[in-house]
Amino acid sequence: MIENAAEAQDIRVENGMITEIGNLTEKTGEEVTDLGRKLVLPPFIESHVHLDTCLTAGDPVWNMSGTLFEGIECWSKRKEKLNEADITERVRKIVRMYASNGVQFIRTHIDVTDPSLMAMKTMIRLRDELKDIMEIQIVAFPQEGILSYPNGKELLTEAVDMGADAVGAIPHFEFTREYSVESLNFALKLAADRGKLVDVHCDEIDDEASRGLETVAARALELGLYDKVTASHTTAMHSYNNAYVLRLMRLLKMSRINFVSNPLVNTHLQGRIDTYPKRRGVTRVKELLAEGLNVSFGNDDIFDPWYPMGNGGMRDAVFLGLHVCQMMGYEDIMNSYKLITHNAARTLSVTERYGIEVNKPAGFIVLDAENYYEALTENSVVLASYKDGRKIAENIPGEGKVFSASL
Ligand code: FE2
């Protein structure tokens, strides 16, 4: 069954491209794979992760409080061991995990507040080396700020000219509100000048006065960048007053920017200085979608000092996100795969070559379920992942047994 189609269909693949979909008759000499009545979806997309920090939890110390600030302390210890071989080994491992979970596209943020830009250089090399299995997009991410870090503007520009796909920013971390606005003006202008995408770590804080988002949207509109721009996190929006959101929403719709929410990490890290009630710290996903804005879900961190879990799968982000955003109506559930497929493809700006359609590259995954509802609730494994018509991963489901005379 392809996505939510009512009838089972065949997919013809020739030279890595989809050439026909429907009730097809086998041609002589054609290789046929019977997928049964299993669910076929376009490949999953990770629209927000930090590959340079992944798989480092507990090395050399565990985050005992689980807070963002202790995470930063742990990372400063781990950072001493950071080198090209270390990043290469971890990225190769996590890409393998993602591939086995049906992911074929990843947008990674790579820290460029480092005078050597070592992680960026390494990631650019890996983007090329791993392209047969994964399409990786790299955001030049100024973790410690553009104006608040020595030579921040120069380092960001150098990373972009080195080959980053997108320009990042972190307005809520800059020293002052003025720096915050200037950093966004700089980042979006740089992207416009160089023809790059934009993905901002935007207002990832519980401070209701953090208003980077309006500047991102205004510049996206004025520079004509529109959906080339993404605002990630926007957790402060959770705490904005409703009158402000009402005004903001008009600008957001005019700007047509994308949003990425990371429900696993933001429910875990936000609201930490609240007593009770505690804020959830996830942006207004349901309301943004209802206004026709594009939202996707990401993991953000995988087994690192800021998030001690994660397996390279996308299902858990969707599963938790639906709960925390109170999107448990039947239609919400049935459409939620789009948060890690079609919506994420719009965020990554890859829609021309994405989707199970004739004349597009043959990229799709087969889940061990007959429909999406079952796949989500039962956490079904990805039986096979095809990229450009080639099988790049498969999983063989285990057989569970229950011993009872009455069943
Ligand atoms: Fe992030």
Side-chain angles (χ1 to χ4, degrees), residues 197-218:
L197 302 167
V198 175
D199 195 329
V200 175
H201 274 66
C202 194
D203 307 316
E204 190 186 5
I205 190 166
D206 292 320
D207 175 11
E208 68 281 5
S210 187
R211 303 274 165 101
L213 178 57
E214 61 182 20
T215 305
V216 171

Side-chain angles (χ1 to χ4, degrees), residues 48-50 109 141 143 170 199-201 204 232-233 262 265-266 299-301:
H48 188 121
V49 71
H50 298 252
H109 298 255
F141 169 50
Q143 171 94 62
I170 186 163
D199 195 329
V200 175
H201 274 66
E204 190 186 5
S232 282
H233 296 292
N262 301 295
V265 167
N266 285 136
N299 276 300
D300 198 10
D301 294 285

Side-chain angles (χ1 to χ4, degrees), residues 138-289:
I138 306 173
V139 184
F141 169 50
Q143 171 94 62
E144 296 184 50
I146 298 173
L147 278 94
S148 311
Y149 187 78
N151 300 317
K153 285 183 177 176
E154 290 75 15
L155 285 168
L156 183 63
T157 308
E158 195 184 334
V160 167
D161 289 340
M162 198 181 273
D165 302 287
V167 184
I170 186 163
H172 58 277
F173 191 82
E174 299 284 356
F175 291 151
T176 66
R177 196 194 65 82
E178 289 77 13
Y179 278 14
S180 159
V181 173
E182 196 187 329
S183 72
L184 290 171
N185 291 345
F186 179 82
L188 273 82
K189 176 77 170 43
L190 179 64
D193 288 348
R194 303 292 205 276
K196 302 284 183 179
L197 302 167
V198 175
D199 195 329
V200 175
H201 274 66
C202 194
D203 307 316
E204 190 186 5
I205 190 166
D206 292 320
D207 175 11
E208 68 281 5
S210 187
R211 303 274 165 101
L213 178 57
E214 61 182 20
T215 305
V216 171
R219 291 301 95 78
L221 174 67
E222 291 158 2
L223 292 165
L225 291 170
Y226 299 108
D227 59 357
K228 300 279 178 270
V229 176
T230 297
S232 282
H233 296 292
T234 62
T235 57
M237 195 186 195
H238 185 99
S239 301
Y240 289 165
N241 68 74
N242 291 336
Y244 174 67
V245 173
L246 196 64
R247 168 168 83 80
L248 178 65
M249 204 58 94
R250 175 174 173 266
L251 169 63
L252 297 179
K253 285 195 278 185
M254 288 167 72
S255 75
R256 309 203 302 259
I257 62 170
N258 307 295
F259 289 80
V260 179
S261 177
N262 301 295
L264 293 160
V265 167
N266 285 136
T267 47
H268 151 57
L269 290 179
Q270 306 309 130
R272 284 285 182 152
I273 48 173
D274 291 357
T275 52
Y276 283 96
K278 280 183 194 285
R279 283 169 288 180
R280 289 176 169 143
V282 174
T283 197
R284 302 187 188 201
V285 175
K286 194 175 187 173
E287 292 74 13
L288 289 166
L289 288 168

Side-chain angles (χ1 to χ4, degrees), residues 306-321:
W306 296 278
Y307 185 71
M309 295 186 186
N311 57 8
M314 299 308 301
R315 179 263 185 187
D316 290 354
V318 173
F319 192 74
L320 179 74

Side-chain angles (χ1 to χ4, degrees), residues 29-40:
E30 198 167 45
E31 187 189 330
V32 178
T33 306
D34 182 7
L35 304 177
R37 294 183 67 83
K38 300 295 184 188
L39 173 67
V40 177

